[in-house]
Amino acid sequence: MLARQQQVLGWFSVLWIFIFAFVTLPDRNSVICARRHLPLHGDDMFRKSQHAAECQFGKQLRELGSSWFADLGPPFGVMYCIKCECLPYQKKRRVVGKVHCRNIKNECPKPSCDEPVLAPGRCCKVCPGDLDSPDIVDDPTTVVSGDDEKNTKHFAALLTNRNQMDSSDMMMLSATGNFKQYVATGRFMFHKRNLYYSFYTSNAVRPRGLQFVDLKGNILEEQVLAAGSVYQNKTGKICGVWRRIPREYRRLIRDEKLLVVLLWDKAELTITGQLYRYRSLTTELFSVLLEGSNQLAGLGPPQGGTALVSVSTTAPSLHLTIIFTGLFGGDEIQGGKEGTVSVKLASLDGKTIVIDETLKLDKPSADLNTIEVRSAVSHQDLHLLSHLQLQLLITNSKQPHLVVGGSVLPRTTCEIYVANIVAHSTDAVASPNTAVSGLSWVFVNKEGALDYHVLLEGGDPDMKLSLVVDRRHQDIASLTPTLSKDGWANGTSSVLGLRNLDHLYSGELAWQVVGGGGGGGGRLSGRPLADARDASAPSLLLRTSNSTSWQSADKSTGMVWAAVDVECNLHYELTLAGLSPTPDHPLQLYLEEVPFIAPGAPVSHRLLQEFSTSNVEDFILGLTPQELMRLDSGVVYFEVKDAKSGESVMRGQWKEVTIPTSCLPLYTENQLPTLNDEAGISRDTGCFHGDRFHEEGAQWMSQVDRCVMCTCHSNRVTCDAVQCPTLTCDKPVTRPEACCAVCDNNAVETNATIGQCQLAGQSYRPGATWHPYIPPNGFDTCTTCSCNATSLKVSCHRTVCPQLHCEERIAVRHPGACCRVCPLGSATSTLDPGWMGEQATGPRSKSDILAAGGCNYPIGGPFENGEQWHPRVYSQGEVKWVKCHCKDGKVRCERSRGKHM
């Protein structure tokens, strides 16, 4: 009982140390969350910052304004009296998250009843039914209002150089040729607390940073834009996402009080725009980026614009929502005069005029102006539109030199359309071995054509693949000619007609697979592009189990998107088809890492998530450089298992593993990283050398040179050439394939057939002598072992050191020597027989002295290892009452007692 009480008191001591660290120390009360970011170089706007919109507490991300109880893990668990909050913290222009934890025990109100109770998960005793207590946390991540999800879903922004600098700065830069006006158009979709963004820019150089800013200029979120992906390069767009937006910032989006900034390398090259809501964003099929006529000259006020193009195909007509700036001068704005603009939509060659209208604006603005144009058109006009053969020009009717224009483009939104392809139920049951399955993804490229990628497994060799309208099974395009023997169909189809483009954006297109042995299909559904879905390709998961608990697994497929971002976090998304996990029967997603395909290769398994829906999207925060290196240099698999039985249900290889260089560690060729001990990870480590893995602590003979010994220590391979002992015989003999000579050749030949001596897993011939190999230090040249030719027993003997004739405290050991010796210069100095010191041929060089443990010294140096001297000072000469001593490369000086300078 006493031991148990002492153990409990020990745990409480550790607990109060933790509470003291969070509550009583001023510099520990607040912990600024640390997230790994690539720096934005340049002036203050480009400096590296903490992640603005959230806090990191351990391995968890917390939203600004949220509160929680500290979780210490076992054996303490959640501490309901330690309340933590993620508070905004002003750091110059940036608003960053800051964790603040405190002990709320003393804040508990006095209960008004006679018998208060302490409910589970509470810190304060309260009366039954009393909910007003400080031990209740507010977690806004669990509440997303209907307004956020419905009414404020789509936004657009026009970004220009306006308000970035005054007119004098513009004129000065224009005169030097260093200032050019750029413009960008952005689209934003708010979905499940995430803001997905997409941009077209007039600058051919990709921006390297993005910021979301409030109207006061405070930076709320800052992101580094990595190099363009396959999708972004093929579409010419800039894509990304601001995840887990705090509740307060969601209000800014809803109230149209949020700015977005794109940043390039040069500090003066930034463009800014404000997010606004437009009704036509939900029906937009095409976009237009409008550039000003003075764009290249860098003269006059910033000009630019964007247009949202909607189409009706039943009664052919166009609806244009046009946002522009820079077309009205000071007289029109300050004088309150109406403005007049000409809107012209024509073919690129100018031969066909689709729209030519003049519109009046009662109160033109120096900032943004919005106009809407509706016009009936012909089918030929729609044909030109779908093939991106139209351009839009907006001109000031009173000042024709003020004009903005641009060509029609695919709509700005970054989106990809994916589908799991599964066999029809009857085909899967009748012939499960030949049932078709697969995955696919498509998108509209910058030319307006459909870029498609389809992978089919199983099925009939003569199967046919086509794209159809799902509800009517109307064929749109046959992709059978591009279907290769390995099951891939990659290519670009002809430009989709407007009706079919609308079907694609509405999620009404599907794949149809037909073959002699059956068929299958899958409907394409749109997803915003960011993080995992911005990878070059997904991975296909196929059935691995005939478990009776998952009978539908016979016709199921899985598709996994995975990617590592510039902050070294792993993002993944799993979509299942044909499987329906439930809370009562969940599944688990595992990541399996095989560093090399070699005998004995260590394999690690990480549990990513347990789930009960057919679509899973999440991320892993803070992977170590060593873990990321394993992903980068190994073979990676995804596996879905039954959470109850642990049986494998689906499995597939992650073939497109790309890790940012900044996330990888610096490592040597033979170094194998270890994994951190974290929950959900089973790991094994070792060293890779030659063509196989070796366990920790093992030693072996190199396959390249048998006279080299290697060992595995701390997951690193160390190899040393065999050190041969000195022989006392006159005529040593070296046997073929032996590393060291022996004295008695007859004994070797006579007893070779008897057997060999064994030491540390290595074999030695009878009569052989050697220095033992002792990891991790290598060969011990101060010990000699021999193999008895008769008994085949190994005997080892250490070198016998001579007696010292000086004080042991001043004796030194030279590098590579077996014995300590007296310092040189003393009357009784002794040379170590295992080390060659200064020879009679002359004094040694400075480098030799230092290499042997000597010391460098400003005056009179260098000194030999073990040498003593009185230091010299220029103004004093030799200081007799101070004695310096060199030992193993370090100088130590002592003053004699009672002596003063």
Side-chain angles (χ1 to χ4, degrees):
M1 178 65 70
L2 179 60
R4 177 61 178 170
Q5 291 176 349
Q6 291 176 343
Q7 183 180 7
V8 173
L9 289 175
W11 285 122
F12 273 101
S13 298
V14 176
L15 171 61
W16 281 111
I17 290 174
F18 173 84
I19 296 175
F20 181 79
F22 271 100
V23 178
T24 63
L25 296 182
D27 58 337
R28 297 290 184 90
N29 273 343
S30 301
V31 182
I32 296 178
C33 55
R35 294 289 305 278
R36 188 163 33 180
H37 280 267
L38 293 180
L40 294 177
H41 299 286
D43 63 6
D44 181 69
M45 184 175 292
F46 293 85
R47 288 168 51 194
K48 183 179 179 180
S49 69
Q50 303 291 344
H51 202 273
E54 53 196 6
C55 297
Q56 179 179 342
F57 189 82
K59 290 290 185 179
Q60 299 293 324
L61 292 178
R62 301 287 182 173
E63 179 180 313
L64 279 180
S66 64
S67 57
W68 66 96
F69 297 121
D71 187 355
L72 304 188
F76 304 112
V78 179
M79 308 305 298
Y80 292 102
C81 288
I82 305 297
K83 186 176 182 179
C84 299
E85 298 173 284
C86 180
L87 303 176
Y89 172 71
Q90 190 77 26
K91 190 175 182 181
K92 293 188 177 181
R93 294 185 55 224
R94 292 173 174 84
V95 179
V96 299
K98 183 178 182 181
V99 177
H100 178 84
C101 296
R102 71 182 192 278
N103 187 356
I104 61 173
K105 184 67 176 179
N106 297 328
E107 302 177 18
C108 294
K110 185 177 180 180
S112 58
C113 57
D114 296 332
E115 297 182 356
V117 296
L118 182 62
R122 302 287 291 271
C123 174
C124 304
K125 287 187 177 182
V126 296
C127 298
D130 189 359
L131 299 178
D132 185 13
S133 179
D135 59 359
I136 299 176
V137 299
D138 178 23
D139 186 3
T141 62
T142 59
V143 179
V144 179
S145 68
D147 290 341
D148 288 337
E149 286 300 300
K150 297 179 181 179
N151 299 334
T152 63
K153 193 170 184 178
H154 296 279
F155 297 83
L158 171 64
L159 292 77
T160 67
N161 300 90
R162 70 185 188 280
N163 300 328
Q164 294 301 302
M165 59 186 68
D166 56 33
S167 57
S168 61
D169 292 334
M170 286 185 182
M171 294 302 295
M172 180 182 66
L173 291 173
S174 298
T176 59
N178 294 326
F179 178 73
K180 293 182 180 180
Q181 294 185 10
Y182 293 102
V183 64
T185 180
R187 301 293 183 269
F188 307 86
M189 187 185 73
F190 183 80
H191 181 63
K192 294 183 178 179
R193 297 176 51 237
N194 303 321
L195 187 67
Y196 294 88
Y197 57 79
S198 315
F199 297 96
Y200 278 126
T201 72
S202 62
N203 191 346
V205 179
R206 182 180 175 84
R208 61 184 180 83
L210 173 144
Q211 294 172 341
F212 287 100
V213 184
D214 63 15
L215 297 182
K216 297 180 180 179
N218 297 315
I219 301 174
L220 310 180
E221 169 75 0
E222 188 172 35
Q223 295 185 6
V224 173
L225 299 176
S229 62
V230 173
Y231 173 91
Q232 297 185 50
N233 291 335
K234 286 189 175 183
T235 60
K237 301 175 184 178
I238 299 166
C239 312
V241 61
W242 178 8
R243 292 198 177 275
R244 301 170 297 279
I245 301 179
R247 180 166 46 189
E248 185 63 30
Y249 298 167
R250 296 201 291 266
R251 294 194 186 101
L252 295 179
I253 299 174
R254 181 188 60 205
D255 298 338
E256 300 180 337
K257 295 181 179 179
L258 189 68
L259 303 175
V260 62
V261 183
L262 292 179
L263 312 99
W264 278 264
D265 287 330
K266 295 182 179 180
E268 69 272 7
L269 183 49
T270 63
I271 57 176
T272 305
Q274 190 166 348
L275 276 65
Y276 291 103
R277 189 183 305 110
Y278 298 96
R279 289 178 299 176
S280 55
L281 283 170
T282 58
T283 59
E284 182 183 21
L285 289 186
F286 298 92
S287 302
V288 183
L289 177 61
L290 303 172
E291 300 182 50
S293 57
N294 57 2
Q295 196 78 15
L296 298 179
L299 301 174
Q303 295 179 347
T306 185
L308 290 64
V309 182
S310 304
V311 182
S312 173
T313 56
T314 52
S317 63
L318 295 180
H319 176 206
L320 278 63
T321 301
I322 307 169
I323 306 104
F324 62 91
T325 186
L327 294 189
F328 296 111
D331 294 340
E332 295 170 303
I333 298 171
Q334 298 176 4
K337 300 179 181 179
E338 67 178 16
T340 306
V341 294
S342 171
V343 179
K344 186 175 183 179
L345 182 66
S347 61
L348 296 179
D349 57 12
K351 295 180 179 180
T352 303
I353 305 298
V354 179
I355 297 176
D356 190 359
E357 295 187 11
T358 300
L359 301 177
K360 293 182 179 181
L361 285 79
D362 293 335
K363 295 181 179 180
S365 171
D367 191 16
L368 293 183
N369 296 275
T370 303
I371 59 176
E372 294 190 10
V373 177
R374 290 180 174 85
S375 176
V377 295
S378 66
H379 288 286
Q380 179 62 29
D381 297 335
L382 295 183
H383 178 79
L384 292 175
L385 176 66
S386 63
H387 286 73
L388 309 181
Q389 295 298 308
L390 296 180
Q391 60 179 340
L392 178 66
L393 297 175
I394 313 297
T395 308
N396 186 324
S397 301
K398 298 179 181 179
Q399 303 182 61
H401 66 281
L402 296 178
V403 57
V404 293
S407 301
V408 173
L409 303 168
R411 72 179 184 183
T412 310
T413 307
C414 294
E415 54 202 339
I416 194 169
Y417 295 82
V418 299
N420 292 65
I421 298 176
V422 296
H424 298 316
S425 300
T426 54
D427 299 331
V429 174
S431 55
N433 295 330
T434 60
V436 67
S437 59
L439 56 77
S440 65
W441 71 99
V442 304
F443 57 86
V444 179
N445 62 22
K446 65 179 66 177
E447 286 78 26
L450 193 67
D451 196 292
Y452 62 86
H453 305 272
V454 184
L455 173 60
L456 300 178
E457 293 283 346
D460 191 276
D462 297 326
M463 58 187 173
K464 299 180 180 179
L465 174 67
S466 57
L467 185 64
V468 301
V469 178
D470 190 39
R471 61 186 178 184
R472 297 195 300 267
H473 295 287
Q474 174 186 349
D475 285 354
I476 295 176
S478 175
L479 306 185
T480 305
T482 63
L483 187 60
S484 61
K485 294 182 180 180
D486 59 0
W488 277 103
N490 298 305
T492 303
S493 71
S494 58
V495 175
L496 292 176
L498 290 177
R499 189 181 297 274
N500 292 329
L501 184 64
D502 189 34
H503 289 323
L504 174 67
Y505 290 160
S506 302
E508 298 178 2
L509 296 188
W511 298 110
Q512 181 173 285
V513 182
V514 179
R523 174 179 283 199
L524 291 165
S525 60
R527 306 285 176 84
L529 192 94
D531 295 335
R533 287 189 294 272
D534 201 16
S536 55
S539 300
L540 175 64
L541 305 185
L542 296 176
R543 178 179 59 87
T544 59
S545 172
N546 291 319
S547 172
T548 56
S549 60
W550 295 101
Q551 295 179 357
S552 60
D554 290 337
K555 60 177 186 301
S556 63
T557 60
M559 178 167 48
V560 176
W561 293 87
V564 177
D565 63 21
V566 294
E567 294 180 358
C568 312
N569 302 318
L570 172 63
H571 299 263
Y572 61 89
E573 182 191 25
L574 168 66
T575 303
L576 298 178
L579 282 181
S580 300
T582 63
D584 296 332
H585 201 168
L587 293 172
Q588 293 176 327
L589 177 62
Y590 281 85
L591 183 69
E592 180 181 283
E593 306 162 34
V594 184
F596 297 92
I597 298 297
V603 177
S604 64
H605 301 270
R606 172 190 280 269
L607 175 62
L608 297 181
Q609 190 174 357
E610 183 172 305
F611 58 95
S612 56
T613 60
S614 54
N615 185 264
V616 180
E617 184 177 1
D618 209 338
F619 68 99
I620 299 176
L621 178 68
L623 290 177
T624 65
Q626 288 73 25
E627 291 177 272
L628 292 170
M629 188 179 72
R630 293 174 70 100
L631 293 177
D632 184 63
S633 61
V635 180
V636 184
Y637 294 91
F638 291 99
E639 187 170 30
V640 175
K641 292 185 177 182
D642 189 314
K644 293 184 177 180
S645 65
E647 187 177 28
S648 177
V649 179
M650 307 179 74
R651 194 168 188 264
Q653 183 178 348
W654 183 11
K655 298 181 180 179
E656 303 290 341
V657 184
T658 302
I659 310 296
T661 306
S662 59
C663 296
L664 298 176
L666 298 176
Y667 60 94
T668 59
E669 180 179 357
N670 290 324
Q671 181 180 359
L672 180 69
T674 60
L675 285 178
N676 288 342
D677 292 320
E678 299 179 5
I681 303 178
S682 60
R683 65 183 181 93
D684 191 11
T685 56
C687 297
F688 181 76
H689 187 260
D691 61 350
R692 66 172 293 110
F693 272 87
H694 301 271
E695 296 181 355
E696 176 72 16
Q699 55 178 268
W700 64 93
M701 185 180 296
S702 172
Q703 296 181 0
V704 179
D705 187 349
R706 65 184 316 274
C707 292
V708 172
M709 289 293 296
C710 301
T711 183
C712 177
H713 177 69
S714 298
N715 310 115
R716 295 188 64 180
V717 175
T718 302
C719 296
D720 297 287
V722 172
Q723 300 292 319
C724 296
T726 302
L727 302 179
T728 57
C729 54
D730 295 333
K731 296 181 179 181
V733 178
T734 302
R735 184 178 177 83
E737 299 183 357
C739 297
C740 298
V742 295
C743 285
D744 189 357
N745 187 44
N746 293 330
V748 174
E749 295 293 341
T750 302
N751 298 286
T753 58
I754 298 177
Q756 293 181 331
C757 295
Q758 301 292 326
L759 181 66
Q762 303 299 317
S763 300
Y764 300 91
R765 291 181 176 274
T769 59
W770 67 94
H771 293 308
Y773 187 66
I774 304 177
N777 300 320
F779 287 95
D780 182 6
T781 57
C782 298
T783 300
T784 303
C785 298
S786 60
C787 175
N788 188 286
T790 303
S791 62
L792 297 180
K793 291 184 177 180
V794 175
S795 59
C796 299
H797 304 280
R798 293 281 298 176
T799 300
V800 179
C801 296
Q803 184 178 358
L804 293 172
H805 297 283
C806 62
E807 294 184 25
E808 186 175 353
R809 68 180 182 85
I810 66 172
V812 297
R813 187 193 305 275
H814 294 291
C818 297
C819 303
R820 301 175 70 186
V821 298
C822 294
L824 291 175
S826 63
T828 57
S829 62
T830 304
L831 289 179
D832 185 350
W835 175 78
M836 296 300 295
E838 183 178 357
Q839 303 298 312
T841 56
R844 295 188 299 155
S845 65
K846 178 179 178 180
S847 59
D848 292 336
I849 294 175
L850 297 178
C855 301
N856 206 351
Y857 198 75
I859 303 176
F863 294 95
E864 293 281 358
N865 191 4
E867 189 174 352
Q868 300 179 5
W869 70 95
H870 294 299
R872 298 182 63 87
V873 180
Y874 287 112
S875 61
Q876 301 286 336
E878 188 177 39
V879 184
K880 295 290 187 179
W881 55 83
V882 176
K883 182 180 288 186
C884 295
H885 180 209
C886 173
K887 186 172 184 180
D888 299 332
K890 295 182 179 180
V891 176
R892 182 179 180 182
C893 297
E894 297 179 348
R895 184 169 53 192
S896 301
R897 294 182 179 179
K899 298 292 185 179
H900 302 278
M901 291 186 65

